[in-house]
Amino acid sequence: MRWRRELIALTGVTVFISALFGANSRAQEKGNATAKKIAIRAGRLIDGKSDTPILNALIVIEGDKIVSVSAGGTPPAGAEVIDLSKATVLPGFADVHTHVLLNGDITAADYDEQILKQSTPYRAILAARNARIALDNGFTSIRDVETEGAMYADVDVKTAIARGEVPGPRMQVATRAMAPTGMYPLLGYSWELKVPVGVQTVDGVEGARKAVREQVMYGADWIKYYSDRRYHFEDDGVLHSMVNFTDEEAKAIVEETHRLGKKVAAHCIGSDGIAAALRAGVDTIEHGDGFTDALLDEAAKKGVYWVPTITVGAYVAPGRGGNWVKMVDLEKIAFQKALKKNVKIALGTDAGGFDWKQLNEAEEFVYYANYGMTPMQAIRAGTVVPAELLGWSDRVGTVEAGKWADIVAVSGDPLKDITELKRVKFVMKAGTVYKNEVH
Ligand SMILES: [Zn+2]
């Protein structure tokens, strides 16, 4: 039905092709002269730039973009007015560490169950549901950092959302991720069984370069690799780990990825894994529990982002026991040091590492505030900073003229009570309202 309507309204081969493949139909509709005008009255606007909120702000939106933001003012003629005058309005949130194709893996059994008993189509259906949950919670952008055995299904989820087929956040995706032979589950099964692996198995410098090319060919925006495993404390009190790739292999991954114009995320929990990833030249450190002073200094100096994923660490610790509990405390100390050293911290939760239905990703904001960020710093860690990490600073992360209209609202004041961010009542993405429970 949709493409037939477009064929009637417009002519030409280009239009036919884009309609056939469903590309940007919404953008085309909105990009024309009759783009819908919306004016939002915001009681309190935290725009992501200013240190203090703007009171009684007026945000004017045309189509999918913000065209003006002012303190007070009159809505333009013909604009639909959305009254959020009793609410706090913010930029849409971003979570730069998610797994839409996973639904909680506290134990190895939880993980194996999903990989062995669920088909990729089934998992992709749940991924679409998870994307909707993220959007409902105010997350209008996510970076999904590997499919855990579901191959390139993240590219499909991203495409379906971008085409307006299903609701969800804007996505950047990492596809399959990489680890060397024997360094990633599923492990421990009889050698007679051929069991799936949660990542692409990659060995050697040439293997690394080829795997990067392959993943980029099928749609990876990021390359993710597993820098370490076997986390353990030694007498020095530092969290150590076994490094997965040789330096030559890790450098080959990073070099090839950068050569193709993409960026690298490295899973590292122990200090040895973090050190190896920084040596290789990665763009983001994921988890980072074992950050030492020297490694934090190096990350700050190199401008490498830290994505701490505190929510998942705290969530899985009781179920996993042992060092995992100590790692939560260790990461809190590292986080506080990182703040003093001006390491760039971008909000990431590892949603999917916990069940999407059980925890709201906005929990991560609460940890940041509890760990020493001001509420405004925490908000920026989940809006402006991830926008930079994603390379989307010109599009998202703040509420200002020229940006995509990705806007959320909460009833109370998150600068007084950060947990307000867990109760998002209004969500707009690209000028379309997906949720409005503001009364
Ligand atoms: Zn993860």
Side-chain angles (χ1 to χ4, degrees):
M1 277 303 280
R2 197 188 60 199
W3 66 266
R4 203 172 129 213
R5 188 186 65 216
E6 286 174 354
L7 278 178
I8 294 164
L10 304 156
T11 54
V13 173
T14 319
V15 171
F16 176 74
I17 289 169
S18 75
L20 197 62
F21 293 98
N24 297 322
S25 62
R26 180 174 292 181
Q28 280 172 10
E29 283 165 20
K30 288 190 170 167
N32 66 27
T34 57
K36 188 177 172 187
K37 275 195 189 128
I38 297 176
I40 295 178
R41 288 193 181 282
R44 194 185 293 111
L45 170 64
I46 295 173
D47 66 359
K49 290 191 304 177
S50 323
D51 289 333
T52 50
I54 302 165
L55 299 179
N56 302 313
L58 184 75
I59 306 159
V60 180
I61 295 141
E62 252 181 62
D64 54 3
K65 298 252 168 53
I66 298 166
V67 292
S68 71
V69 178
S70 54
T74 316
E80 177 196 332
V81 178
I82 297 176
D83 183 15
L84 303 178
S85 60
K86 293 194 177 72
T88 303
V89 174
L90 305 109
F93 309 149
D95 182 347
V96 293
H97 190 123
T98 68
H99 303 277
V100 290
L101 284 135
L102 200 64
N103 291 285
D105 65 334
I106 294 177
T107 65
D110 295 335
Y111 187 77
D112 292 20
E113 173 91 10
Q114 292 174 66
I115 307 306
L116 291 171
K117 294 186 180 171
Q118 297 179 358
S119 69
T120 297
Y122 179 78
R123 294 178 65 195
I125 291 166
L126 298 191
R129 180 206 62 192
N130 296 340
R132 172 82 215 209
I133 291 173
L135 187 63
D136 268 350
N137 288 336
F139 288 83
T140 50
S141 299
I142 61 172
R143 182 184 61 156
D144 203 71
V145 284
E146 89 125 316
T147 60
E148 308 287 359
M151 297 298 285
Y152 297 94
D154 53 352
V155 178
D156 298 308
V157 175
K158 170 189 161 174
T159 304
I161 291 169
R163 290 178 180 171
E165 304 292 357
V166 292
R170 306 173 188 287
M171 290 178 76
Q172 291 186 7
V173 298
T175 73
R176 303 179 62 191
M178 301 176 184
T181 299
M183 306 291 176
Y184 200 83
L186 305 185
L187 294 167
Y189 290 84
S190 159
W191 58 265
E192 291 164 300
L193 289 175
K194 178 89 184 121
V195 292
V197 182
V199 293
Q200 181 166 9
T201 300
V202 171
D203 295 300
V205 166
E206 288 314 306
R209 289 190 187 279
K210 184 162 192 286
V212 169
R213 289 171 192 165
E214 203 171 287
Q215 293 191 1
V216 170
M217 175 174 75
Y218 290 121
D221 302 301
W222 285 78
I223 296 298
K224 154 102 173 269
Y225 77 85
Y226 284 81
S227 181
D228 67 350
R229 62 197 300 256
R230 290 191 192 155
Y231 323 113
H232 59 279
F233 286 94
E234 290 181 12
D235 292 341
D236 55 6
V238 171
L239 182 66
H240 287 274
S241 54
M242 193 195 89
V243 176
N244 286 336
F245 286 105
T246 66
D247 273 11
E248 289 70 29
E249 289 170 326
K251 279 179 182 151
I253 292 171
V254 174
E255 268 176 30
E256 192 61 24
T257 306
H258 287 166
R259 203 172 70 80
L260 299 181
K262 307 293 180 188
K263 287 182 280 188
V264 182
H267 161 112
C268 350
I269 290 183
S271 57
D272 306 84
I274 299 167
L278 290 172
R279 280 199 303 277
V282 303
D283 301 283
T284 70
I285 299 284
E286 309 301 309
H287 315 300
D289 307 50
F291 255 122
T292 60
D293 283 289
L295 293 170
L296 286 168
D297 287 336
E298 197 181 336
K301 195 168 131 232
K302 289 184 168 168
V304 174
Y305 293 85
W306 179 19
V307 183
T309 69
I310 295 165
T311 308
V312 78
Y315 182 72
V316 301
R320 289 184 185 174
N323 282 340
W324 291 91
V325 180
K326 277 160 75 181
M327 280 154 55
V328 176
D329 302 330
L330 187 77
E331 190 172 29
K332 182 176 182 177
I333 296 164
F335 188 94
Q336 288 164 347
K337 288 178 178 170
L339 280 182
K340 290 205 185 86
K341 292 173 186 288
N342 290 321
V343 174
K344 292 191 279 190
I345 296 174
L347 185 145
T349 61
D350 216 349
F354 54 83
D355 189 332
W356 287 85
K357 290 186 294 182
Q358 280 184 19
L359 281 188
N360 182 331
E361 294 161 273
E363 197 70 59
E364 191 80 11
F365 285 112
V366 181
Y367 280 111
Y368 293 175
N370 288 343
Y371 279 19
M373 280 187 174
T374 65
M376 194 60 104
Q377 272 180 307
I379 289 167
R380 290 175 61 84
T383 53
V384 186
V385 183
E388 286 165 16
L389 179 152
L390 296 167
W392 282 350
S393 288
D394 57 336
R395 289 170 243 183
V396 302
T398 57
V399 177
E400 62 181 313
K403 298 273 174 92
W404 282 326
D406 291 2
I407 292 167
V408 303
V410 297
S411 302
D413 183 357
L415 299 180
K416 294 204 179 89
D417 175 9
I418 194 78
T419 68
E420 274 297 325
L421 301 179
K422 295 192 333 187
R423 295 180 289 278
V424 164
K425 297 285 199 295
F426 174 88
V427 178
M428 169 185 275
K429 195 189 89 178
T432 299
V433 176
Y434 288 90
K435 178 180 187 175
N436 189 357
E437 295 168 0
V438 175
H439 304 294

